[in-house]
Amino acid sequence: MLTIGVLISGKGSNLQAIIDAVGRGEITGRVAVVISNKADAYGLERARKAGIEALVIPSRGKERTDFEREVAEALESRGVELVCLAGFMRVLTPYFIRRFKHRIMNIHPALLPSFPGEDAQGQAFAYGVKVTGCTVHFVDEGVDTGPVIVQIPVEVREDDTADTLSGRILEQEHRAFPRAIQLFAEGRLQVTGRKARVLPARR
Ligand code: GAR
């Protein structure tokens, strides 16, 4: 059983997708703790409803490494093996990333390396690409640059707005994140350089 910690900053629909996938047995693990840097994140409510410990660790006004040390200690004291960034809107420093090397996953609403950074859906829409999507990747010391684990494409329709496109990307995010977590839980992800290789399922 994989012990998962989820970091959020907002509404937490990806967190909900993870909780639901655990509930259906599609992730052989459990979410031990949800941590938000924002006290008003709706995802905290989702965690509590699911009986999961929900912590607020404010980032504001703190040195980055002080904030990250608090988060790391909260995760480690609960035995977290995999850290999932589910709409966590802070860039982590090398200090935190090294402490959880190859054990942090992020979901990004574009097909990386296209459209890294903020508002990836809006960037893709404004650029006029015909296909975008979502990416789950391991977090390295860059912004949205780590080894790719799962990607799901989403077609851009002629009548899309940035909002309708974001909505369809989000649906795919909810499939992609649990899938990536389960690959990790099954020990099927092997990172070599900038690639995450998906090993075949053991029989
Ligand atoms: C998701 O679309 C996620 O991909 C994005 O924030 C949203 C969070 O939604 N993350 C990033 O843009 C990270 N750079 P949620 O709180 O409903 O899961």
Side-chain angles (χ1 to χ4, degrees):
M1 282 280 277
L2 179 69
T3 303
I4 301 162
V6 182
L7 306 191
I8 61 166
S9 302
K11 67 183 191 290
S13 73
N14 278 289
L15 164 67
Q16 190 68 55
I18 295 166
I19 292 170
D20 293 346
V22 168
R24 290 192 301 267
E26 290 167 14
I27 294 173
T28 48
R30 68 179 194 99
V31 180
V33 63
V34 171
I35 302 174
S36 174
N37 63 320
K38 303 265 187 223
D40 61 355
Y42 180 65
L44 291 164
E45 198 59 39
R46 296 180 191 267
R48 290 187 200 108
K49 274 195 192 133
I52 297 166
E53 185 184 11
L55 291 181
V56 177
I57 302 183
S59 50
R60 209 175 209 174
K62 268 180 208 157
E63 286 290 329
R64 274 172 179 270
T65 43
D66 289 341
F67 166 70
E68 290 181 1
R69 187 173 308 111
E70 274 185 61
V71 174
E73 280 167 8
L75 293 166
E76 281 167 1
S77 67
R78 287 152 183 90
V80 167
E81 298 161 288
L82 176 68
V83 182
C84 295
L85 309 185
F88 180 66
M89 296 306 190
R90 298 223 10 136
V91 174
L92 294 164
T93 71
Y95 160 77
F96 188 93
I97 290 159
R98 286 176 199 158
R99 200 154 158 174
F100 292 92
K101 192 171 159 65
H102 296 157
R103 295 192 296 133
I104 311 169
M105 281 182 189
N106 179 48
I107 180 99
H108 184 76
L111 294 177
L112 290 171
S114 290
F115 312 120
E118 282 181 24
D119 189 24
Q121 308 95 323
Q123 289 184 56
F125 184 73
Y127 193 95
V129 292
K130 301 298 187 197
V131 180
T132 181
C134 62
T135 303
V136 183
H137 64 93
F138 281 117
V139 174
D140 69 3
E141 294 179 18
V143 175
D144 299 328
T145 52
V148 170
I149 302 164
V150 171
Q151 290 188 303
I152 303 182
V154 172
E155 265 188 57
V156 182
R157 296 181 187 153
E158 291 305 327
D159 62 352
D160 263 330
T161 61
D163 278 353
T164 58
L165 179 61
S166 297
R168 290 206 312 291
I169 294 171
L170 194 60
E171 284 173 21
Q172 298 311 315
E173 293 183 41
H174 298 161
R175 297 172 57 220
F177 216 167
R179 194 183 292 171
I181 294 168
Q182 183 56 15
L183 288 172
F184 187 97
E186 290 174 9
R188 292 173 58 197
L189 297 174
Q190 187 184 67
V191 180
T192 316
R194 69 145 297 102
K195 288 194 184 175
R197 202 164 110 84
V198 178
L199 304 173
R202 263 179 247 140
R203 300 206 276 148

